[in-house]
Amino acid sequence: MKRSDFISRMEDSAKVWDFIIVGGGATGLGAGLDAAARGYSVLLLEQGDFAEATSSRSTKMVHGGVRYLQQGNISLVMEALKERGILLKNAPHMCYNQKFIVPDYKWWGLPYYGIGLKAYDMLARKYSFGKSQILSSKSVIKEVPGVRTKKLKGGVTYHDGQFDDARLAITLAHTMADHSGCPVNYAKVTGLLKNDAGNVNGVKVVDTLSDTSYEVKAKAVINATGIFTDDVMNMDNAEHKKLIAPSQGVHIVIDRKFLGGQTGIMVPKTDDGRVIFFVPWHDKVVVGTTDTPISSVCMEPKPLKEEIDFLVEHSARYLEHPITRDDVLSVFTGIRPLIAAGDSHDKTSSLARDHYLTISPSKLLTIAGGKWTTYRQMAEDCIDNAIKIGGHPFRPSPTKDMKLHGYTDDFDPKDHMHVYGSDREEIQALAADYPELDQQMHEQLQYSWLEVVWAVKNEWALTVSDALSRRTRALILNAKAAIEAAPKAAEIMAKELGKDEAWVKEQVEEFTKLAENYIVN
């Protein structure tokens, strides 16, 4: 399970992998797990950390998509609702039931939204998380203390799923490794290899930590790089038609004092036609999102002032005590890899969230689009097609009924460590060897220092950002607190990784610079 072991397997120049997957987000990790679970040899290469880009920056929901129902995309909603139910069954420690309320401030809202959410219930069928219900204004106030009471007519409740996106990504990487797959982070693909017939049969890759280059062969190569999809397609054919129309989405995180209880809020229509969610999450509230077309992509996008203002302003319309910019604990920004529609990308909120699969003349398989909720179905479709490219004997996917790493149904969702599942006890057992680290990381953060040790030892965390952004979620829960925790996190990691004081200083400086993008000034 050590990264060095995976690198050693990659160094074997005589080995021809059944599949090489480029990209370590939701799509790539899902495909890697699917291939490994079928018994194929699979190498997954991620240029940064697992889920570092889009896949750690979602609205933290496993949902069918109420908005897609409004758009008339019934097939996507049905697929997503089914996959939501499958994830709950296979990883209850990672996905759980979250109740939402649509508050109504207009006389026609209750019947209108009530009918729509009943349709949502019916589409879920046996995968339902619970039935929708119309509530009085008094009941709404009881369910969500802090909701604006003026002119409140009542509300409609419905149920969806909630999860921790980066933690699910690590769980998929773990499960892939459990099935002899080989996920490698900080391994940047710089080019594609082709045989005499002009077909893709491998990749050029650089281990960015050691600056060592490799050429690795495979019977099929899969491009699952999300927002960087077009970059890999360019390696195959510089004249290819651009596939991705990127859209930036921003979320803000606020204290639970603004919205009490365990129920979230869904605002079905904002000024720009989007949906906004208030999601109770890790004892904070995540509010989002925006949808802003952008022209270029990067690993660390920055929020625009007007995006933050939009969320603060719209939040104020639904909270009894409106928030200001000063109340934002953290702001995080992600880029959606939406599939381009024609030549106009002006309104990305209208572009489909379905996944898209294409095979180039040189046999490069590209899978793009989609959403976290449908990652498993996307992976199955991807590997079904990759099998044909590689000329492998067909083996059916077992993932529909396969428990993910750490599976347990014995946990308390109010305890933040439930995301580790059955590994929780092993993390707590580290206290015997690290008694001085068995304490809370920061008074504003619920994590312990033992989780940083665990992240290095068992979860391929190699930087302070890995530990505080994605293994724990300190950065997006409270950016200032995460900066204060960074020096000690760096010292702990340096001891485990065999690094010196210069590394500690560099890591703290890099993380602090990164975290400044998460602070609203």
Side-chain angles (χ1 to χ4, degrees):
M1 294 292 286
K2 299 292 184 184
R3 181 178 183 274
S4 57
D5 296 333
F6 295 155
I7 295 292
S8 296
R9 290 169 63 185
M10 188 172 72
E11 287 175 336
D12 182 359
S13 59
K15 182 176 180 62
V16 178
W17 296 83
D18 290 333
F19 304 111
I20 290 177
I21 297 173
V22 187
T27 305
L29 288 166
L33 169 56
D34 189 280
R38 298 192 201 204
Y40 300 112
S41 63
V42 54
L43 172 67
L44 181 146
L45 303 168
E46 164 54 46
Q47 66 174 331
D49 186 28
F50 301 122
E52 183 173 345
T54 305
S55 295
S56 60
R57 303 161 191 260
S58 74
T59 313
K60 320 308 176 193
M61 291 175 59
V62 184
H63 64 130
V66 174
R67 179 162 64 92
Y68 313 136
L69 182 62
Q70 190 176 23
Q71 293 174 350
N73 195 340
I74 304 299
S75 61
L76 175 61
V77 174
M78 290 185 68
E79 178 181 80
L81 289 171
K82 176 183 176 183
E83 291 299 320
R84 183 190 69 174
I86 291 172
L87 182 59
L88 177 66
K89 178 187 69 172
N90 291 336
H93 61 298
M94 293 303 312
C95 170
Y96 46 95
N97 194 323
Q98 175 65 58
K99 184 191 287 187
F100 286 90
I101 283 181
V102 181
D104 176 39
Y105 296 92
K106 297 178 180 178
W107 65 267
W108 51 265
L110 290 179
Y112 179 79
Y113 295 120
I115 292 171
L117 290 169
K118 282 298 180 186
Y120 196 62
D121 292 345
M122 288 188 290
L123 290 173
R125 296 172 298 176
K126 68 177 182 179
Y127 297 103
S128 173
F129 276 35
K131 293 182 178 180
S132 59
Q133 184 180 0
I134 293 177
L135 298 182
S136 66
S137 58
K138 186 180 295 186
S139 296
V140 171
I141 294 167
K142 184 178 180 180
E143 283 272 359
V144 277
V147 69
R148 183 168 69 88
T149 58
K150 186 178 181 180
K151 296 184 179 180
L152 180 66
K153 309 297 183 187
V156 183
T157 66
Y158 76 100
H159 295 258
D160 244 324
Q162 189 190 101
F163 78 140
D164 186 320
D165 46 12
R167 290 302 320 173
L168 179 55
I170 296 303
T171 297
L172 294 179
H174 259 300
T175 315
M176 178 184 171
D178 291 343
H179 287 80
S180 301
C182 189
V184 185
N185 53 350
Y186 296 100
K188 182 177 177 62
V189 170
T190 58
L192 301 176
L193 304 176
K194 295 185 178 182
N195 59 22
D196 293 341
N199 293 329
V200 175
N201 70 342
V203 300
K204 298 176 182 178
V205 58
V206 177
D207 178 351
T208 60
L209 300 183
S210 66
D211 201 29
T212 306
S213 299
Y214 305 91
E215 291 191 355
V216 193
K217 297 291 186 67
K219 295 176 182 176
V221 175
I222 297 167
N223 173 16
T225 51
I227 60 175
F228 301 106
T229 294
D230 286 305
D231 292 347
V232 176
M233 294 181 81
N234 281 338
M235 296 176 188
D236 179 39
N237 175 15
E239 303 299 322
H240 91 281
K241 183 178 180 181
K242 188 177 180 182
L243 182 62
I244 300 299
S247 163
Q248 178 164 295
V250 171
H251 297 79
I252 58 175
V253 179
I254 59 176
D255 196 274
R256 284 295 297 277
K257 69 182 181 182
F258 291 102
L259 194 71
Q262 300 300 316
T263 302
I265 290 177
M266 191 268 276
V267 178
K269 194 170 184 180
T270 61
D271 290 349
D272 71 347
R274 282 196 58 79
V275 172
I276 284 185
F277 292 95
F278 294 71
V279 186
W281 191 72
H282 287 314
D283 205 36
K284 300 289 189 289
V285 179
V286 175
V287 183
T289 181
T290 59
D291 200 324
T292 308
I294 55 177
S295 58
S296 60
V297 300
C298 62
M299 195 71 89
E300 277 293 338
K302 297 179 181 180
L304 301 174
K305 178 182 181 298
E306 52 265 37
E307 291 178 302
I308 298 171
D309 290 342
F310 174 86
L311 292 175
V312 169
E313 178 193 338
H314 275 75
S315 297
R317 300 178 188 181
Y318 294 90
L319 298 175
E320 191 74 1
H321 300 288
I323 65 169
T324 67
R325 291 173 65 92
D326 292 338
D327 294 312
V328 178
L329 299 174
S330 187
V331 54
F332 62 95
T333 310
I335 300 175
R336 303 177 189 86
L338 303 178
I339 305 303
D343 298 321
S344 176
H345 308 155
D346 292 337
K347 191 174 182 182
T348 50
S349 62
S350 65
L351 295 182
R353 268 58 174 177
D354 305 65
H355 66 273
Y356 180 89
L357 193 148
T358 183
I359 301 171
S360 75
S362 62
K363 307 301 183 185
L364 173 69
L365 189 155
T366 294
I367 182 165
K371 47 188 277 186
W372 247 122
T373 307
T374 57
Y375 87 87
R376 192 209 64 83
Q377 184 61 59
M378 291 171 65
E380 183 175 334
D381 292 347
C382 176
I383 299 304
D384 280 351
N385 282 273
I387 287 170
K388 299 173 186 175
I389 295 173
H392 303 298
F394 181 81
R395 301 168 189 162
S397 172
T399 59
K400 186 176 179 181
D401 299 305
M402 190 178 73
K403 293 178 172 60
L404 298 187
H405 180 90
Y407 174 93
T408 179
D409 54 10
D410 181 19
F411 65 91
D412 179 1
K414 295 179 182 178
D415 178 357
H416 80 276
M417 291 190 72
H418 74 268
V419 296
Y420 296 101
S422 59
D423 286 342
R424 181 180 187 276
E425 294 180 3
E426 292 187 47
I427 298 171
Q428 293 174 322
L430 289 172
D433 296 324
Y434 302 85
E436 73 283 3
L437 300 181
D438 187 16
Q439 55 183 293
Q440 193 170 339
M441 181 185 291
H442 189 283
E443 63 180 0
Q444 298 296 322
L445 297 167
Q446 53 195 332
Y447 303 106
S448 88
W449 294 116
L450 294 177
E451 292 173 75
V452 176
V453 177
W454 178 263
V456 177
K457 285 180 171 292
N458 297 283
E459 295 183 341
W460 314 289
L462 298 163
T463 70
V464 170
S465 178
D466 295 347
L468 297 185
S469 300
R470 289 169 292 279
R471 304 311 185 275
T472 70
R473 311 310 308 276
L475 177 59
I476 67 171
L477 289 172
N478 191 316
K480 291 180 180 178
I483 290 175
E484 293 174 12
K488 185 166 183 175
E491 290 175 4
I492 293 169
M493 296 183 75
K495 186 175 181 180
E496 295 298 324
L497 294 168
K499 302 294 185 180
D500 58 17
E501 281 298 317
W503 183 89
V504 170
K505 182 181 178 182
E506 180 182 41
Q507 281 292 304
V508 173
E509 289 176 352
E510 287 183 2
F511 181 77
T512 301
K513 184 178 180 181
L514 169 72
E516 287 172 353
N517 294 329
Y518 292 70
I519 297 173
V520 174
N521 296 312

